[in-house]
Amino acid sequence: MKKLLITTAFALVAQSALADEIRVLNWQGYGTDLDWAIAAFTAKTGHTVVHEYFTSEQEMLTKLRTNPGAYDVVLVNSAYTAQAQGEGLLAPIDPSKIKNFADLDPGLTGNADLNPNGALYGVPWTWGVTALAVNTGDFPTPPTSIQVLWDPAWKGRVSIRDDGLEAVQFAAMATGQNLNEITDMEAVKAKLTELMPQITTFWSSENDWNQFMAAGDFAVATYWSGSAARSIAAGLPIAFVVPDEGALGWLDGLSIPATSTHQDAAAAFIDWMVDPEFYVKWDTEGAPATSNTKAAAALPEDSFNRKVLGDPAVVAKVQFMKPVSDEKRAEYLKLWQDLKAAQ
């Protein structure tokens, strides 16, 4: 017994000697800083974790530029990975150091935005979509096409969010265009012009949306996947639909700054963040969808992220958004304001 205790003590001392303090840069309250998750990671590896936070992607980039060596793991939305890599802010990641990498969805690990110049600079972690939600009282069988927004049968009971960029992107998908490469703005304008008489009102927040749906004002409306999960859990009679034409998607990756001095420990932390053991517990607390197919399959049958977003076929339909220039944003906003003013 004494020998066992001595051996265990030596093992703990050795682990401590090899342990690093890793610094993580992320949004506050977004998964990586959960107390129980950090405690479990430290227990497994001996590494400790310290967090620093940003409030916008631009602030994140500024912190990486001005604090070399300060961070070991950073949350980077896929729309910004290429920019960060192009500035020399990120290190390439060796997938062999991520034990769970083989279980990540190939459609996400192969995402071009996470692989600028053909090398992996962001391990896909979480994702979500803006798609459609329908009142199940009106739709015993959910629709499969985005064209339901234009169906005359639902005139006066349709809604979309009051956001010019999002409106243009939905119209682009409805006209068969890539939302990141819109080439026919006249078609988009015509499609949105046709949509306006269908709309009962615009929504701007989850609370607005829930109130309108509960009152029966909406039969079909655009909605956020995470919000839909909460609305369903609250008892609203809705179904979330990712139509055949696609949905607006966002994808967050975990990256290693080029100046990190603890890159192996950083890779171990990223591996823990995509581990099913971590994710299944996080899902009960309102996590976004996971990139790990085994984690998605391990969720309870009634989990929103398994039923709706755990299907690789759904992932394949999502068009993940890229950055939009200020000029394009202004163009889309003017179109949207002109269309609303004409009603």
Side-chain angles (χ1 to χ4, degrees):
M1 183 66 167
K2 183 176 181 181
K3 183 178 180 180
L4 176 61
L5 290 173
I6 293 173
T7 302
T8 302
F10 274 124
L12 291 173
V13 169
Q15 184 187 56
S16 176
L18 295 172
D20 292 318
E21 178 184 270
I22 60 172
R23 301 186 65 85
V24 178
L25 182 62
N26 193 1
W27 304 94
Q28 188 167 15
Y30 189 16
T32 61
D33 58 356
L34 291 166
D35 289 341
W36 60 262
I38 293 174
F41 175 70
T42 299
K44 288 173 180 288
T45 66
H47 302 310
T48 55
V49 182
V50 176
H51 273 77
E52 188 170 325
Y53 302 108
F54 57 81
T55 58
S56 70
E57 277 84 5
Q58 292 305 319
E59 182 184 1
M60 175 270 295
L61 291 170
T62 298
K63 284 179 177 290
L64 290 179
R65 293 175 188 131
T66 57
N67 298 286
Y71 311 110
D72 302 295
V73 176
V74 58
L75 185 287
V76 185
N77 182 274
S78 62
Y80 294 87
T81 306
Q83 178 182 349
Q85 183 272 332
E87 294 185 31
L89 300 175
L90 303 179
I93 298 173
D94 181 355
S96 69
K97 293 187 177 182
I98 311 297
K99 296 177 182 178
N100 288 285
F101 194 82
D103 298 325
L104 304 187
D105 190 305
L108 299 179
T109 58
N111 180 279
D113 294 326
L114 294 179
N115 292 267
N117 299 319
L120 182 72
Y121 284 89
V123 175
W125 183 40
T126 56
W127 63 280
V129 302
T130 304
L132 304 178
V134 298
N135 187 319
T136 53
D138 296 307
F139 292 90
T141 301
T144 59
S145 174
I146 200 172
Q147 302 300 333
V148 67
L149 293 171
W150 285 265
D151 186 337
W154 306 113
K155 183 176 182 179
R157 298 191 62 209
V158 172
S159 183
I160 66 174
R161 189 161 73 99
D162 189 7
D163 181 274
L165 173 60
E166 197 168 286
V168 166
Q169 290 173 327
F170 265 95
M173 288 191 293
T175 55
Q177 300 185 67
N178 185 316
L179 64 87
N180 293 306
E181 299 175 5
I182 302 173
T183 58
D184 190 347
M185 281 300 295
E186 286 301 315
V188 167
K189 180 179 179 180
K191 197 68 175 174
L192 286 176
T193 300
E194 294 173 15
L195 180 64
M196 300 306 276
Q198 294 281 105
I199 292 175
T200 175
T201 189
F202 301 108
W203 65 275
S204 59
S205 70
E206 182 175 327
N207 184 61
D208 287 345
W209 197 98
N210 285 336
Q211 290 181 356
F212 287 128
M213 181 61 76
D217 294 335
F218 294 170
V220 55
T222 59
Y223 206 23
W224 301 314
S225 56
S227 296
R230 288 186 289 272
S231 297
I232 292 170
L236 278 181
I238 65 170
F240 190 73
V241 177
V242 177
D244 292 339
E245 294 87 350
L248 314 182
W250 56 265
L251 173 62
D252 281 340
L254 293 171
S255 299
I256 300 176
T259 55
S260 166
T261 56
H262 307 299
Q263 296 198 11
D264 286 343
F269 184 73
I270 292 173
D271 184 59
W272 172 234
M273 285 291 103
V274 297
D275 193 302
E277 182 184 346
F278 162 73
Y279 180 77
V280 170
K281 185 173 181 179
W282 188 26
D283 182 70
T284 66
E285 302 179 13
T290 177
S291 62
N292 191 316
T293 57
K294 281 192 175 180
L299 295 175
E301 292 287 345
D302 61 350
S303 166
F304 178 89
N305 282 324
R306 177 173 181 174
K307 287 193 304 182
V308 180
L309 301 182
D311 183 355
V314 171
V315 180
K317 292 192 288 185
V318 175
Q319 296 186 34
F320 289 100
M321 293 183 286
K322 298 179 182 293
V324 178
S325 69
D326 291 341
E327 293 77 14
K328 284 293 182 185
R329 281 185 184 275
E331 178 186 356
Y332 299 162
L333 179 59
K334 184 178 187 307
L335 170 61
W336 184 235
Q337 290 174 333
D338 288 347
L339 287 170
K340 290 193 297 179
Q343 297 304 301

